[in-house]
Amino acid sequence: MSLTVGDEVARREITVDRARLVRYAGASGDFNPIHWNDRVATAVGLPGVIAHGMWTMGAASSVVADWIGDPGAVLDYQVRFTRPVPVPDPGAATIEVTAVVGALDPEAGTARIDLTVAVDGVRVLGKAQALVRLS
Amino acid sequence: MPVDVGYAGRQYPPTAAYEVGRQKLQEFADAVGASHQAHTDPSVARALGYPDVIAPPTFAVVVAQRAEAQLFEDPAAGIDFSRVVHADERFTHHRPIHAGDRLVTVLHVDSITVRAGLAMITTRAEIASEDGEPVTTVISTLAVRPEDS
């Protein structure tokens, strides 16, 4: 695979609705009510139910895993949660994921993939970076 | 009650083993939209060199949070979960988690700092196989907002 720093390697839009959040709560064991109960979410100052930050992080990682063709090639993955993702009801939110080559280490055979994850053009994750093994 | 900064530096004893099942990995992969067949089809995973289906990159949070509960559910630590906001998360995979793994986690409280009432708590979950092979390191930072905000 021939890569250059700055190359965009993948781009995807992923929608998330309340049913998706309930599914993630069950699968992950994170039952914090701010992810399914508007009354609780607004009581703590949120605009309403928000997506689990870990859902957003997980959904974005699949974009990298699919591009590299092996989810086990994701060696390291980090994000900062900078902005909540409100999920309306009825309706859905859409996260826009863009993956760009941030750095290459030919000796180690790895690439750092920098992810931009945004909702309506506003970033919701900061310093979202995945280190992948190139085969 | 404020967060007790005295918990910084604490290390907990290893957890009981978490058994990774194929169905659990499929359920988690479905929830995050991880559609790669290495999560669901053992023959695809084996063709990539793994002993069984593998976990999506963030699945380790399921294992780590069971260990983190030792800190967060300890009333003496003073962490009010309704005031907690997730600040950042990092997974370092020493190898992929796969179905059939029996994982033991040691939780470390790496730091607790309080500034202007806002507490930042960084934990590190060292996940290993039962025989001590390092599998994944999960570093998580939570912010606990002060009560008057």
Side-chain angles (χ1 to χ4, degrees), chain B residues 52-110:
Chain B
D52 204 323
V53 292
I54 60 169
T58 62
F59 173 78
V61 71
V62 173
V63 182
Q65 74 195 0
R66 289 165 175 260
E68 291 161 4
Q70 295 172 103
L71 170 65
F72 300 126
E73 292 176 5
D74 177 352
I79 300 166
D80 176 355
F81 226 74
S82 72
R83 301 183 181 283
V84 163
V85 177
H86 202 168
D88 59 55
E89 184 86 8
R90 179 173 194 169
F91 300 91
T92 303
H93 296 295
H94 311 295
R95 68 156 171 82
I97 292 171
H98 60 76
D101 267 331
R102 289 176 54 84
L103 302 173
V104 172
T105 306
V106 174
L107 181 73
H108 303 258
V109 183
D110 277 353

Side-chain angles (χ1 to χ4, degrees), chain A residues 64-65 67-68 73-76 109-113 130-134:
Chain A
V64 177
W67 162 68
I68 199 72
V74 179
L75 307 176
D76 189 288
T110 59
R112 193 191 80 213
I113 304 301
L131 184 73
V132 300
R133 185 184 61 240
L134 305 171

Side-chain angles (χ1 to χ4, degrees), chain A residues 36-57:
Chain A
W36 50 268
N37 185 318
D38 276 317
R39 180 175 48 79
V40 174
T42 52
V44 298
L46 294 165
V49 161
I50 61 168
H52 304 75
M54 288 304 307
W55 176 82
T56 306
M57 184 182 187

Side-chain angles (χ1 to χ4, degrees), chain A residues 78-83 115 117 123-129:
Chain A
Q78 63 177 312
V79 309
R80 283 192 185 139
F81 302 101
T82 51
R83 216 176 264 273
L115 291 162
V117 181
R123 284 183 181 225
V124 296
L125 298 182
K127 206 190 175 195
Q129 300 179 341

Side-chain angles (χ1 to χ4, degrees), chain B residues 15-21 63 95 97-105 127-135:
Chain B
T15 59
Y18 178 93
E19 296 191 20
V20 181
V63 182
R95 68 156 171 82
I97 292 171
H98 60 76
D101 267 331
R102 289 176 54 84
L103 302 173
V104 172
T105 306
I127 302 174
S129 68
E130 269 187 319
D131 51 13
E133 178 194 12
V135 177

Side-chain angles (χ1 to χ4, degrees), chain B residues 37-52:
Chain B
Q37 288 186 304
H39 303 309
T40 50
D41 184 339
S43 67
V44 171
R46 287 191 193 109
L48 289 168
Y50 305 115
D52 204 323

Side-chain angles (χ1 to χ4, degrees), chain A residues 18-108:
Chain A
R18 296 282 176 97
R20 171 67 47 182
L21 297 185
V22 171
R23 180 182 284 245
Y24 184 78
S28 69
D30 181 345
F31 295 104
N32 188 330
I34 64 171
H35 304 304
W36 50 268
N37 185 318
D38 276 317
R39 180 175 48 79
V40 174
T42 52
V44 298
L46 294 165
V49 161
I50 61 168
H52 304 75
M54 288 304 307
W55 176 82
T56 306
M57 184 182 187
S61 76
S62 66
V63 176
V64 177
D66 287 349
W67 162 68
I68 199 72
D70 175 1
V74 179
L75 307 176
D76 189 288
Y77 180 40
Q78 63 177 312
V79 309
R80 283 192 185 139
F81 302 101
T82 51
R83 216 176 264 273
V85 177
V87 177
D89 176 51
T94 300
I95 63 167
E96 307 131 20
V97 182
T98 310
V100 172
V101 179
L104 290 166
D105 185 340
E107 204 155 300

